[in-house]
Amino acid sequence: MQQISPVNRACGTCTLCCRLPDIDALDKPANEWCRNCIEGQGCRIYEQRPQLCRDFLCLWMTDEGLSPAWDPAQSHMMIYRQGPQITVLVDPDFPDMWKREPYAQQLSSWARQPGTTGQYVIVFVGDAVFKVD
Ligand code: SF4
Ligand code: SF4
């Protein structure tokens, strides 16, 4: 899903959100390429892509407070908010990235500073699911 963000970041060659999430509307299981994605390039139907693809931006693209390390092309993770939940989808080809620094410390920090939102952090790695303490 190649887009330009409101904080002036660009997807570049990242195509993680066309691979990691399950997308019912596209009959796409988790961790499989969308049939419309050209790996490393982007969407072959970009001008006609579904509205849900137009609407989605990961947290890297919307929160300029995230450091450059969180660029999905570097972190091999895509993160987004769903209400109080911060969802982290880890590229199964790099399954331990979320345990490495600076990521592990940042994820713990988010999980331990729920504030008034009841925020919590869930990590998906293939079929495995973890709640960050
Ligand atoms: S995961 Fe984020 S940076 Fe990567 S293609 Fe999707 S929106 Fe762009
Ligand atoms: S339709 Fe295009 S933008 Fe949407 S998931 Fe597939 S490749 Fe990505």
Side-chain angles (χ1 to χ4, degrees), residues 81-87 109-122 131-132:
R81 290 186 187 276
Q82 295 173 292
Q85 177 173 318
I86 295 177
T87 300
S109 174
W110 286 335
R112 291 175 180 174
Q113 295 177 359
T116 58
T117 64
Q119 178 175 284
Y120 55 99
V121 181
I122 304 294
K131 186 172 187 290
V132 177

Side-chain angles (χ1 to χ4, degrees), residues 1-3 10-11 14-18 56-61 71-72 77-78:
M1 302 182 190
Q2 303 293 304
Q3 318 225 38
C11 295
C14 175
T15 49
L16 283 187
C17 58
C18 303
F56 180 80
L57 287 173
C58 71
L59 209 52
W60 158 254
M61 291 284 277
D71 180 345
M77 292 178 272
M78 62 170 282

Side-chain angles (χ1 to χ4, degrees), residues 71-93:
D71 180 345
Q74 179 175 334
S75 69
H76 302 287
M77 292 178 272
M78 62 170 282
I79 59 177
Y80 57 99
R81 290 186 187 276
Q82 295 173 292
Q85 177 173 318
I86 295 177
T87 300
V88 182
L89 304 186
V90 182
D91 183 341
D93 292 339

Side-chain angles (χ1 to χ4, degrees), residues 34-109:
C34 172
R35 61 183 176 275
N36 299 314
C37 186
I38 304 172
E39 185 177 350
Q41 295 184 35
C43 182
R44 76 176 85 237
I45 60 162
Y46 187 76
E47 296 302 328
Q48 290 80 39
R49 68 196 187 285
Q51 191 62 46
L52 66 93
C53 301
R54 295 173 187 274
D55 292 342
F56 180 80
L57 287 173
C58 71
L59 209 52
W60 158 254
M61 291 284 277
T62 58
D63 185 348
E64 59 188 347
L66 290 188
S67 72
W70 285 98
D71 180 345
Q74 179 175 334
S75 69
H76 302 287
M77 292 178 272
M78 62 170 282
I79 59 177
Y80 57 99
R81 290 186 187 276
Q82 295 173 292
Q85 177 173 318
I86 295 177
T87 300
V88 182
L89 304 186
V90 182
D91 183 341
D93 292 339
F94 301 87
D96 294 328
M97 288 301 288
W98 66 288
K99 299 177 183 175
R100 299 182 188 174
E101 299 302 345
Y103 309 114
Q105 192 172 16
Q106 179 71 78
L107 294 173
S108 275
S109 174

